[in-house]
Amino acid sequence: MKQTLIGREQEIRQLQEYLSSEKSEFIAIYGRRRVGKTFFVRQVVGNEACLVMTGMENVDLNDQLANFYFTLRRVWPSAAQPHSWLEAFDQLQNYIESLPSGRKIIFIDELPWLDTVRSKFIAALERFWNGWADGRDDIKLIVCGSATSWMIDHIINNRGGLHNRKTHQIYIAPFTLEESRRYFKAYGFPYREKEIAECYMVMGGVAYYYSLMNTKESVAQNIDRLFFAHNGELKNEFDNLYRSLFKRAGDHIAIVTALAKKAKGLTRKQIVEQTRLNNNSKFTKTLEELEKCGFLRSYIPFGETKRDILFQLTDAFTLFHFHYETENKYQDEAFWTNSLNSGKYRAWSGYSFEILCLNHIMQIKQALGIAGIRSRVCCWSSKQEDGQKGAQIDLIIDRADQTINICEMKFARTEYEITKADDQDFDNKISTFMRQTNTKKSLVLTLITSFGLKTGKYGGHIQRQLTLNDLFKQ
């Protein structure tokens, strides 16, 4: 079946606009490994690029230059073997000048791999762009790479010769639930909303992971085959993912390992204490890289200040790794299927459903009819009180219209039944929040579930209800 570009409507419009401008453009496209960056560019650009080159992983300067030469020779037989990147870009310049008038699109994929030790690649790229391409009006240079820390340092936040030379950047994010549904429909999967949500909660909306699934297998069968079978194609993907994104991934992995244990997140001080990493500028940069890649978010808890910022894990795939892959001690090839009715599954699904909701805040706001109201999303934990039960609220939408949505997220395979304990917990959270924050805003207890509520004697506190269907809206 021919591959189809799913979603990305806004990104498509952006790239087409940049390619149609009347000036030269330097466009940086970044995002995590396997998210579909290359496919996106190739689908939008089609056969119009005058040169498409892909860097090679783990090879030296000579091999990279040979790769460049072989690529250029296919479209320009006059090319000669370059001995440096300065010479290579000079040949590229000569090739482009030989072309007829009109825009010239150059697509260099996996750009970070070209920057080998002592290659002087960045200096040559700077000379090519600053000394020639930027002075024209017909060059469209698209660069792409999964090594996000490199892309951020050397292209997006470059402080050297490319400072402020990159004209645009496009971040390719994982699929939303609705884009996931469109993907599965396009490729003939019979999955319903709950099954698609479960795929998202395991794979985080990454298109490549979906592409490895078999239409003839259930979600459970696919997960077991990909993650837990002896030769599962995604069995080692966690390490591959982090080490492809970040040059020295050990610190990044240490941080997400700590965050995976605490749903509401940790302060900077708490992360330092748990990871034993040095609290310095390198630590700050590591946190920033993880946030820019969508693995975590930072936020100020309700009623707190900037010094109380929390860092919270928001990547479902990472959470799945720590809650499941690392726990398969006996190498059970059906580990997922055998745990579906276990406490492990309930704990994981509850936490992962919260991440799913965090990643679909816009859909939640639209369903509540508050998309146009300025608001912030945070959590809240009660302070200790003698003789009083503590409380924690994992999702608060604090609105500028003097209203606060207190959100409770409950994942279930059928309609959710509110128990007496749930009802007492809701009441305690509301009363404790009002007492400790002294808020004058109206509170709206909002329940987000998979399939809504089962009729029962409890649940009178619930004022608004949302279901998975609401989260699937684009």
Side-chain angles (χ1 to χ4, degrees), residues 40-77:
F40 162 74
V41 174
R42 290 180 181 273
Q43 290 295 106
V44 175
V45 172
N47 296 320
E48 193 179 344
C50 64
L51 183 77
V52 176
M53 178 190 171
T54 302
M56 298 170 64
E57 187 176 14
N58 296 325
V59 301
D60 63 15
L61 172 61
N62 290 333
D63 285 337
Q64 296 289 6
L65 290 172
N67 176 35
F68 174 88
Y69 164 62
F70 296 144
T71 303
L72 184 60
R73 189 178 63 179
R74 288 190 182 94
V75 294
W76 194 47

Side-chain angles (χ1 to χ4, degrees), residues 382-393:
S382 64
K383 296 178 174 59
Q384 270 193 326
E385 293 179 310
D386 292 338
Q388 297 288 341
K389 184 180 178 182
Q392 179 175 313
I393 301 172

Side-chain angles (χ1 to χ4, degrees), residues 6-219:
I6 305 294
R8 314 295 191 205
E9 286 83 5
Q10 179 179 342
E11 292 83 359
I12 292 171
R13 287 193 298 270
Q14 285 179 301
L15 184 53
Q16 288 175 337
E17 177 186 337
Y18 305 153
L19 294 177
S20 301
S21 74
E22 296 182 356
K23 62 186 181 71
S24 289
E25 303 281 9
F26 188 160
I27 306 158
I29 297 178
Y30 71 106
R32 67 190 290 164
R33 165 185 160 98
R34 309 296 201 185
V35 81
K37 302 180 296 298
T38 303
F39 183 67
F40 162 74
V41 174
R42 290 180 181 273
Q43 290 295 106
V44 175
V45 172
N47 296 320
E48 193 179 344
C50 64
L51 183 77
V52 176
M53 178 190 171
T54 302
M56 298 170 64
E57 187 176 14
N58 296 325
V59 301
D60 63 15
L61 172 61
N62 290 333
D63 285 337
Q64 296 289 6
L65 290 172
N67 176 35
F68 174 88
Y69 164 62
F70 296 144
T71 303
L72 184 60
R73 189 178 63 179
R74 288 190 182 94
V75 294
W76 194 47
S78 301
Q81 173 72 54
H83 298 93
S84 69
W85 279 115
L86 277 174
E87 191 177 335
F89 277 108
D90 186 65
Q91 288 202 46
L92 177 58
Q93 178 179 328
N94 291 334
Y95 160 59
I96 292 172
E97 287 177 337
S98 73
L99 297 174
S101 61
R103 67 182 181 184
K104 286 86 175 175
I105 301 174
I106 305 161
F107 176 35
I108 304 179
D109 198 8
E110 297 300 354
L111 186 77
W113 290 347
L114 300 176
D115 186 30
T116 54
V117 178
R118 292 185 291 278
S119 67
K120 299 181 181 178
F121 172 78
I122 287 295
L125 176 62
E126 290 171 353
R127 179 181 181 276
F128 170 77
W129 184 257
N130 298 337
W132 180 75
D134 192 34
R136 297 170 61 102
D137 60 7
D138 59 349
I139 306 299
K140 313 294 180 181
L141 175 61
I142 304 172
V143 299
C144 184
S146 295
T148 304
S149 60
W150 190 98
M151 290 290 291
I152 292 171
D153 287 346
H154 294 87
I155 303 297
I156 295 170
N157 293 335
N158 186 285
R159 292 294 179 263
L162 289 178
H163 179 57
N164 287 335
R165 294 295 186 171
K166 173 266 308 168
T167 57
H168 301 287
Q169 66 190 57
I170 299 175
Y171 173 63
I172 303 298
F175 282 157
T176 62
L177 279 174
E178 175 55 26
E179 288 168 337
S180 298
R181 173 160 60 185
R182 289 161 60 182
Y183 178 94
F184 286 118
K185 181 178 180 181
Y187 290 100
F189 286 83
Y191 299 157
R192 304 292 295 273
E193 281 79 1
K194 182 194 76 69
E195 295 163 308
I196 295 170
E198 199 166 52
C199 289
Y200 182 96
M201 289 159 64
V202 170
M203 302 181 193
V206 177
Y208 175 75
Y209 302 163
Y210 291 165
S211 75
L212 299 176
M213 297 178 70
N214 188 328
T215 58
K216 297 178 182 178
E217 295 179 342
S218 67
V219 172

Side-chain angles (χ1 to χ4, degrees), residues 421-433 445 461:
D422 286 331
D423 204 46
Q424 291 173 341
D425 185 48
F426 297 158
D427 184 58
N428 176 63
K429 287 181 178 181
I430 295 293
S431 59
T432 305
F433 181 80
L445 183 57
H461 294 93

Side-chain angles (χ1 to χ4, degrees), residues 420-474:
K420 181 178 180 180
D422 286 331
D423 204 46
Q424 291 173 341
D425 185 48
F426 297 158
D427 184 58
N428 176 63
K429 287 181 178 181
I430 295 293
S431 59
T432 305
F433 181 80
M434 292 178 66
R435 182 175 65 252
Q436 291 197 3
T437 64
N438 292 315
T439 183
K440 300 298 187 290
K441 293 186 176 184
S442 300
L443 304 184
V444 179
L445 183 57
T446 305
L447 187 66
I448 308 173
T449 62
S450 313
F451 300 104
L453 285 179
K454 184 181 294 185
T455 303
K457 61 184 295 187
Y458 299 107
H461 294 93
I462 306 299
Q463 295 163 281
R464 292 296 305 271
Q465 289 187 50
L466 301 183
T467 67
L468 266 179
N469 284 333
D470 295 304
L471 304 186
F472 272 88
K473 295 172 183 175
Q474 193 67 358

